[in-house]
Amino acid sequence: MNKDIYLAGGCFWGAEHYLKRIRGVVSTETGYANGNIAYPTYREVYTDTTGYAEAVHVVYDPDVLGLERLIQIYFKAIDPTSVNKQGEDEGTRYRTGIYYSDPEDLPAIRKIYDRVAGEVKAPLAVEVKPLKNFYRAEDYHQDYLDKNPQGYCHIPLALMEFARTANDPDNDTD
């Protein structure tokens, strides 16, 4: 049975493109997580007044990709100490966060979060919270970088390639 998690990693165009490359990810969709109004539009979220983070709803097969490994790979694509900024994108909508719908996922999330905090030896700016709400982004935001290969992305090409093999059975590297 598939599971899901909601990951905010800056601009959702790049985050989705990165996450969907991981072996074991079944589907992704961009949207807005943990805000204060119902049915937000991109124009509203862009104002940074709605409380929403640009996020990716990730559905994954836990028999192929464990949550701990998924969170490890997610952390590779973000600056976990940056507050409301990833790459050139700034604003509360670009904050980083891990939003879970199953409370039983929290120990796995915390294990990797605490490991990363120990490695960077600085406070992490990544929210870890229960999912309050999620609204799917407009269609043109879905699979944006597939439709617009020259579009802006804050995640380097080398990391996109890393994602493609990060969960291969013979790849034990972090």
Side-chain angles (χ1 to χ4, degrees), residues 100-160:
Y100 56 91
S101 55
D102 182 350
E104 291 184 15
D105 289 342
L106 188 56
I109 295 166
R110 280 279 169 215
K111 179 179 177 183
I112 303 306
Y113 184 98
D114 292 345
R115 180 186 305 161
V116 170
E119 290 169 358
V120 300
K121 297 179 179 30
L124 299 189
V126 180
E127 296 181 324
V128 175
K129 295 183 175 181
L131 182 71
K132 180 169 75 170
N133 51 26
F134 179 85
Y135 292 95
R136 184 180 193 276
E138 295 82 348
D139 285 343
Y140 69 92
H141 291 296
Q142 307 302 323
D143 301 308
Y144 184 86
L145 291 176
D146 288 338
K147 297 182 275 190
N148 302 279
Q150 302 305 313
Y152 168 76
C153 181
H154 67 287
I155 299 175
L157 186 57
L159 276 176
M160 292 293 183

Side-chain angles (χ1 to χ4, degrees), residues 52-75:
Y52 281 97
E54 287 193 11
V56 180
H57 176 203
V58 179
V59 177
Y60 65 97
D61 180 344
D63 292 332
V64 177
L65 175 65
L67 181 57
E68 286 183 24
R69 184 65 181 146
L70 176 56
I71 299 300
Q72 285 176 328
I73 297 168
Y74 158 78
F75 268 108

Side-chain angles (χ1 to χ4, degrees), residues 20-95:
K20 73 186 206 173
R21 293 174 174 273
I22 303 167
R23 192 176 71 80
V25 169
V26 175
S27 67
T28 57
E29 94 181 316
T30 58
Y32 315 112
N34 281 23
N36 304 320
I37 64 171
Y39 304 103
T41 65
Y42 180 75
R43 293 173 77 107
E44 291 170 321
V45 172
Y46 193 82
T47 66
D48 278 343
T49 61
T50 64
Y52 281 97
E54 287 193 11
V56 180
H57 176 203
V58 179
V59 177
Y60 65 97
D61 180 344
D63 292 332
V64 177
L65 175 65
L67 181 57
E68 286 183 24
R69 184 65 181 146
L70 176 56
I71 299 300
Q72 285 176 328
I73 297 168
Y74 158 78
F75 268 108
K76 295 286 186 192
I78 64 168
D79 175 349
T81 63
S82 182
V83 177
N84 299 331
K85 183 178 189 318
Q86 292 294 307
E88 297 301 313
D89 299 313
E90 292 187 56
T92 57
R93 67 192 174 280
Y94 297 122
R95 70 187 181 271

